[in-house]
Amino acid sequence: MTNDPNAMLDQWAEQPDYKWGFVTDIEADTVAPGLDESVIRFISAKKDEPEWLLEWRLDAYRKWLTMEAPEWPHFPDRPWGPIDYQAISYFSAPKSDEDRPKSLDEVDPKLLETYEKLGIPLEERAALAGVAVDAVFDSVSVATTFRDKLKEHGVIFCSFSEAVQEHPELIKKYLGSVVPATDNYFAALNSAVFTDGSFVYIPKGVRCPMELSTYFRINALNTGQFERTLIVADDAAYVSYLEGCTAPMRDENQLHAAVVELVAMEDAEIKYSTIQNWYPGDENGKGGIFNFVTKRGICEGDRSHISWTQVETGSAITWKYPSCILKGDDSIGEFYSVALTNMRQQADTGTKMIHLGKNTRSNIVSKGISAGHGHNTYRGLVNIRRNATDARNYTQCDSMLMGEECGAHTFPVIEVANDTGHIEHEASTTKIGEDQIFYCNQRGISPEDAVSMIVNGFCREVLAELPMEFAVEARKLLEVSLEDSVG
Amino acid sequence: MLEIKNLHASIDDTPILRGIDLTIDNGQVHSLMGPNGSGKSTLAKVLAGDEAYEVTEGSILLDGVDLLELDPHERSAAGLFMAFQYPVEIPGVTMKYFLRTAINSVRKYREQPELDAYEFLSLVKERAAMVELDTDLLDRPVNGGFSGGEKKRAEIFQMAMLEPTACILDETDSGLDIDALRIVADGVNKMRGDNRSFLVITHYQRLLSYIVPDVVHVLVDGRIVRTGGKDLALELEEHGYAPIESEHAVDA
Amino acid sequence: MSTMTTAPQTNLASRLQDIPEDAITSLRLKAHESMTTMGWPSMRDEAWRYTDTRTIAGTEFSSANADVTVELDQLEPYMLGHDMPRIVFVDGIHQPGLSTAKSSKGVQIDRLADVIANTPDRLKGRLAAHAEWSDDPANAFSTMMLTDGVMVEIAAGASMETPLHVIYLSSGGDQPISVHPRILVVAGDKSTGTVIETHAGNTDNTILNAPVTELIAGDDVNLDHYRMVREGSNTWHLGDLAMNQGDSSEVSSCVLAFDGPLIRSRMRATLAGEHGNAILHGLALGNGSRHVENLLRVNHMVPNCRSREEFKHVLDDKSSAAFTGRIYVAEGAQKTDAVQTNRNLVLTKYGKAIARPQLEIYADDVKCTHGATTGELDPEALFYLQARGVPTSAARGMLIQAFAGEILDDVRPQALREQAMILLRDRLPAAEHLALTD
């Protein structure tokens, strides 16, 4: 063990034990790698989708073929070559999908075990945690808990596939309404091949009685995960939604291209929290998830409120900008983010706040931590349109650097097109001070605990936005990476 | 008992401490005085294990334990406390959380059971009263936005919480007004006892009117050049360090 | 520069051929090649996203008419007193009759045309060595047409007694013309100096003015540079500035943008020696449909340097301003201390402000911050002044002046500072102006 902060920080660069890296040996239905219209037809048929949805997918696919992958993300340490989309399998489901489980008792015990290992309570004891869970394993949703209890309140919480069958009118109305099928390269790909995901509808005036949660797990080799989440909060409804993600350790890069759409009507509030811990690859940058996600919410109604909170510790490459379109007057958009990049991880993340309505407010707090050869980029847009009078934005982007090979980059764009908008943007870059570590040491706190404490302190404003159970998990996640790399 | 023997230390190959011998028995308060640049604060940092300094010779024993073998956090657990001249800010970490981590780290090392939330808060209440510290401060980030007086009081409060056997006060009086000085001194005096030794480092005599030392040492150019009773401090107050410095200038 | 879509003017090659061969012909050819490859950028290009160059690209410029004469009284409004040594160009053509600056001990002041003709060795590793043309069409254009300008060389240990004022007056004619001002300042170790440029014109003629200034500072240099922009109503100003600093040198540059439909300033500071200090300031006043563009980059290449950037935009009418500032900290440039701020004061419903403050950092022990604010006049401050009996218009004027004053206070040459203050007042809306002149 060492006390030298520099040596300690160097050790940060070493690979933390990825505790979620196991592979579950489950019989799976996987289509052969490759992508063409027949694959899309296969997925759609497998899910017994209506004709319009198949057409929607095919439309997206045809547009995707004409689009180019974005080149602008800033990944200085990891030029990522073109992805071979033909080498990816676009559908993998645990075999038991054939006769989808009716209750948890019917779920493959190995699957339950997997979620147990992940620390996700699928069992009814989850009741104690007050969280309803939808678990998505590779391409399909394997279990959704507490549906009956939610139903009593009129809340719909089910897998996307089920929603297509049971609530086609809602899906047809809202699918692609916030993130159009051809919004960007990866959204188009997702629209063509998405396999499952979660759907939530909170009716007028209902406060969802428990936290809703989805856990995503990529298990199968050479598969991509393309899930889709759609949450609609009707007038004066409230929901807090959590998602967590893990994947096994694989030497090959795996692609995750999700789309999340949120719709908040008048006086509605949606709180969306993510803990993203996909496999980051090893210290040489081998393997790991390419995480290209499009998340966007629309504050459709007056006084609506959408809040994004994310803790991003995984993935080899992360590319996501959870955004808010503030359309309703007096609506509020928030973005709280912690992104940690270690080893060879690269994250290009941030948000867009588009102010259309009057008196709209947005708040952005972004904390980037770079260690090892990691590079962390904040990219954001705050756009105040001419008619968005009295709009306000406050942005704070802080970066913490550990070690001499990493980088922190901040590329915000602020556009204000009227005289009543008020924008404040602040950014800073710091390192953990040797004096801070020494001070902690002098009080009996070990160097690794000191680093973890200082990092947690740095992220405090963001962690405070997470629901209690998730905050604990997030803190542990940050700490675990630290413990294992500093010791 | 803190025993320092023939301690030599340097920074970037420049010797700062050139053979310090100093033994503080339990129950005693020693004061270390000296002009600026004499090496007073260096001694405090070397005792606490600041790696910027290299110990080239000598030994430091605390109750028989060789501190030089220990990392800074282990020295703390072994019973050494240093009140910083410039307490460091740690944004986002509340004082309470910080202290609870500290106290339980130390207790774990000492093989004592960790304090639960209730025990911890009772202790906080009791010790905060001792140094007249507003407990609201404890919900703020460590030293964040504290006034000079609050920072120093918080240091003494932490000392009271961690119950060390050897306490080093590094220029704790600097930047304090007379009221704050009295409060800090009261806190220290309450902690004086048979099982604890103090080393009070200061440039001025005034702190020593409140914390009356048993022994006063004068440090010049990294060596203790005079040792005496509490009157030595008064003598220095009157004549300054110049006479002693010139007396020992030849050695420098 | 990947998305250039607009072809350059068709007459570029023939204009180049009109320039007689000399010591820098190969430089011009290279710049021409870059220009031809790049063309005028479209707004899809990141660096030009907010500058509309379509009209420029669609205009065939010719060179200025050498016979234009200008009297001293036409120059007077732009001068900074009669005593400040000056060099005057009209439409890029040197005016010996109006110029007063002379070389003095340790301070060599020359026309670039003379240096090119007689002592071109003095330009080696200096001219176009730091102002990059390969990624900037405006600079490439200016460099390919470069024939004259000013070279100031301050010997090691020498000081300029007074600031040097370089005035580029634009006049133009029936045909659109382009002007290519060039200033090269080479400051030897331990030297000090101040150079002020004014780009001005009282004309409606169509002109493209593309000045390039290079400041090359050795060690322990103290160098101040100012660029005052008061262009005519149809003069597009596409300026470029490059500064390169040695150890412990402090170099500052300040752009004061007052008049012209388009004022674009690209500024690049490179800290190549330790303990250097780079300061970039800017004040822009937008009215009418003016667009002001400030595009900055500070390169921290070595440890222990400091940089400060502060840009303020006051936007009236339908004017717009875009600020893009990047602080780049290279690997190993530890203990970098960089601060960047951009503040926009939007006075009307139609004003538009864009801020892109950027950090790109590859070293861990650094202190870098940037801040950007955009807003209207502080209503509380306004109310406070009104409550003290100050009429609204005067209160507004006072607050605007206070906002801009933070930049002007740092303008060291008194004559320039006073001129800028007056210009500021003159360009405020009438009521506020009147209230202030009392």
Side-chain angles (χ1 to χ4, degrees), chain B residues 45-56:
Chain B
K45 285 176 188 150
V46 167
L47 290 175
D50 189 335
E51 294 203 340
Y53 300 90
E54 193 193 351
V55 174
T56 50

Side-chain angles (χ1 to χ4, degrees), chain A residues 260-300:
Chain A
V260 177
E261 296 178 279
L262 310 182
V263 180
M265 310 304 278
E266 212 169 281
D267 293 302
E269 180 175 356
I270 302 175
K271 229 174 130 52
Y272 194 104
S273 311
T274 304
I275 291 191
Q276 184 266 106
N277 188 29
W278 297 120
Y279 177 54
D282 69 8
E283 71 274 28
N284 298 316
K286 196 167 188 201
I289 302 289
F290 288 166
N291 191 32
F292 303 129
V293 175
T294 307
K295 291 183 168 177
R296 194 176 303 150
I298 183 162
C299 284
E300 184 72 48

Side-chain angles (χ1 to χ4, degrees), chain A residues 210-277:
Chain A
M210 57 178 75
E211 309 269 359
L212 302 185
S213 159
T214 299
Y215 270 83
F216 295 103
R217 169 89 181 157
I218 297 179
N219 189 61
L221 186 66
N222 288 335
T223 54
Q225 177 146 326
F226 306 94
E227 83 273 3
R228 213 161 167 113
T229 303
L230 173 57
I231 300 177
V232 180
D234 216 324
D235 295 352
Y238 167 86
V239 63
S240 169
Y241 183 91
L242 326 168
E243 66 171 353
C245 337
T246 58
M249 291 162 75
R250 303 269 194 205
D251 282 348
E252 297 77 19
N253 295 116
Q254 284 177 286
L255 179 62
H256 173 243
V259 171
V260 177
E261 296 178 279
L262 310 182
V263 180
M265 310 304 278
E266 212 169 281
D267 293 302
E269 180 175 356
I270 302 175
K271 229 174 130 52
Y272 194 104
S273 311
T274 304
I275 291 191
Q276 184 266 106
N277 188 29

Side-chain angles (χ1 to χ4, degrees), chain A residues 6 9-10 370-373 375 401-407 431, chain C residues 330-332 334 362-365:
Chain A
N6 286 327
L9 298 179
D10 288 346
S370 311
H373 286 81
H375 282 268
L401 292 136
M402 302 181 163
E404 289 167 12
E405 313 282 342
C406 58
K431 68 178 287 196
Chain C
E331 207 174 311
Q334 301 293 14
Y362 298 92
D364 64 335
D365 191 4

Side-chain angles (χ1 to χ4, degrees), chain A residues 94 96-97 100-108 111-112 115 120-124 132-137 140-147 157-159 162 196-198 213-215:
Chain A
S96 58
D97 187 56
R100 169 175 287 282
K102 306 289 178 296
S103 78
L104 277 176
D105 303 338
E106 291 177 39
V107 172
D108 185 334
L111 255 181
L112 286 180
Y115 283 92
I120 301 157
L122 281 189
E123 307 279 357
E124 296 296 321
V133 179
D134 181 21
V136 176
F137 196 85
V140 299
S141 171
V142 290
T144 310
T145 60
F146 294 105
R147 301 172 63 165
F157 178 38
C158 62
S159 75
E162 287 167 279
D196 215 332
S198 302
S213 159
T214 299
Y215 270 83

Side-chain angles (χ1 to χ4, degrees), chain A residues 185-420:
Chain A
Y185 188 78
F186 296 108
L189 178 63
N190 173 288
S191 301
V193 303
F194 76 89
T195 41
D196 215 332
S198 302
F199 173 71
V200 177
Y201 176 79
I202 317 286
K204 278 183 187 170
V206 172
R207 213 184 146 80
C208 185
M210 57 178 75
E211 309 269 359
L212 302 185
S213 159
T214 299
Y215 270 83
F216 295 103
R217 169 89 181 157
I218 297 179
N219 189 61
L221 186 66
N222 288 335
T223 54
Q225 177 146 326
F226 306 94
E227 83 273 3
R228 213 161 167 113
T229 303
L230 173 57
I231 300 177
V232 180
D234 216 324
D235 295 352
Y238 167 86
V239 63
S240 169
Y241 183 91
L242 326 168
E243 66 171 353
C245 337
T246 58
M249 291 162 75
R250 303 269 194 205
D251 282 348
E252 297 77 19
N253 295 116
Q254 284 177 286
L255 179 62
H256 173 243
V259 171
V260 177
E261 296 178 279
L262 310 182
V263 180
M265 310 304 278
E266 212 169 281
D267 293 302
E269 180 175 356
I270 302 175
K271 229 174 130 52
Y272 194 104
S273 311
T274 304
I275 291 191
Q276 184 266 106
N277 188 29
W278 297 120
Y279 177 54
D282 69 8
E283 71 274 28
N284 298 316
K286 196 167 188 201
I289 302 289
F290 288 166
N291 191 32
F292 303 129
V293 175
T294 307
K295 291 183 168 177
R296 194 176 303 150
I298 183 162
C299 284
E300 184 72 48
D302 293 352
R303 296 170 302 280
S304 53
H305 183 170
I306 289 179
S307 177
W308 298 100
T309 303
Q310 60 176 27
V311 175
E312 304 277 324
T313 56
S315 294
I317 290 177
T318 294
W319 183 92
K320 68 183 274 203
Y321 314 92
S323 303
C324 297
I325 300 166
L326 301 168
K327 189 174 165 199
D329 291 349
D330 301 291
S331 60
I332 298 171
E334 293 173 307
F335 174 73
Y336 301 95
S337 169
V338 168
L340 185 151
T341 53
N342 197 355
M343 300 184 290
R344 298 266 172 185
Q345 285 175 274
Q346 315 277 303
D348 193 309
T349 185
T351 184
K352 291 180 184 183
M353 294 288 175
I354 314 290
H355 292 252
L356 303 176
K358 295 177 175 50
N359 271 318
T360 44
R361 304 269 181 278
S362 61
N363 196 21
I364 300 171
V365 178
S366 163
K367 305 277 182 177
I369 302 154
S370 311
H373 286 81
H375 282 268
N376 221 314
T377 299
Y378 171 82
R379 191 184 300 276
L381 170 68
V382 175
N383 183 327
I384 297 192
R385 301 289 172 87
R386 184 133 293 152
N387 294 322
T389 50
D390 292 306
R392 299 280 181 276
N393 164 268
Y394 176 73
T395 302
Q396 188 189 335
C397 296
D398 297 321
S399 307
M400 181 176 268
L401 292 136
M402 302 181 163
E404 289 167 12
E405 313 282 342
C406 58
H409 318 291
T410 316
F411 303 123
V413 177
I414 302 154
E415 298 180 342
V416 184
N418 69 54
D419 62 334
T420 54

Side-chain angles (χ1 to χ4, degrees), chain A residues 413 415, chain C residues 43 48-52 291 293 322 324 354 356:
Chain A
V413 177
E415 298 180 342
Chain C
M43 290 168 87
W48 293 81
R49 198 163 147 196
Y50 302 99
T51 308
D52 189 349
H291 177 69
E293 178 99 28
T324 304
I354 292 135
R356 298 194 295 171

Side-chain angles (χ1 to χ4, degrees), chain A residues 1-5 435-436 438-449 453-454 456-458 460 475 479, chain B residues 48-51 71-73 76 80-82 84 88-94 98 101-102 105-106 143 155 158:
Chain A
M1 196 166 77
T2 170
N3 260 321
D4 173 16
D435 55 342
Q436 288 175 322
F438 181 61
Y439 187 76
C440 293
N441 289 170
Q442 211 303 301
R443 300 298 185 252
I445 300 167
S446 68
E448 50 270 47
D449 285 353
M453 178 183 276
I454 294 165
N456 269 302
F458 175 74
R460 187 165 186 235
R475 196 166 284 135
E479 263 163 34
Chain B
D50 189 335
E51 294 203 340
D71 288 332
H73 68 287
S76 171
L80 185 93
F81 184 93
M82 177 177 98
F84 281 55
V88 180
E89 293 185 18
I90 306 176
V93 178
T94 64
F98 173 75
T101 309
S105 301
V106 167
N143 296 315
E155 290 290 287
Q158 290 182 44

